[in-house]
Amino acid sequence: IEQLGLDGVWNLRPLLDGAQLIARLQLQTKGPLVGRLVEEQICWQIRNGVVEASEQTIELLLAHLRQFL
């Protein structure tokens, strides 16, 4: 874990919570899709080394998540 730079990854919080994802992506549902998007968001953060949110980072994240809609 340390060699991969993943020490503390279990403390990583999503940049956007479910309600924020629903609003920003204009989703009509609160179901399993939102859970999958939150999970994919955390995977994206790990792959890209993102810990803190800037508006530009959030826009890149949202563009990534739109492919799952």
Side-chain angles (χ1 to χ4, degrees), residues 39-53:
E39 185 176 328
E40 178 56 34
Q41 173 185 191
I42 291 178
C43 292
W44 181 87
Q45 287 177 243
I46 293 168
R47 283 192 305 270
N48 292 286
V50 175
V51 178
E52 296 183 22

Side-chain angles (χ1 to χ4, degrees), residues 7-54:
D7 189 36
V9 73
W10 48 88
N11 295 320
L12 187 63
R13 306 292 300 163
L15 299 178
L16 300 172
D17 64 24
Q20 292 169 313
L21 285 174
I22 290 169
R24 296 289 293 261
L25 294 172
Q26 300 176 339
L27 301 177
Q28 303 299 317
T29 180
K30 295 181 184 177
L33 173 62
V34 176
R36 287 192 301 273
L37 292 174
V38 169
E39 185 176 328
E40 178 56 34
Q41 173 185 191
I42 291 178
C43 292
W44 181 87
Q45 287 177 243
I46 293 168
R47 283 192 305 270
N48 292 286
V50 175
V51 178
E52 296 183 22
S54 68

Side-chain angles (χ1 to χ4, degrees), residues 15 52-59:
L15 299 178
E52 296 183 22
S54 68
E55 191 56 36
Q56 183 179 24
T57 301
I58 289 174
E59 288 303 321

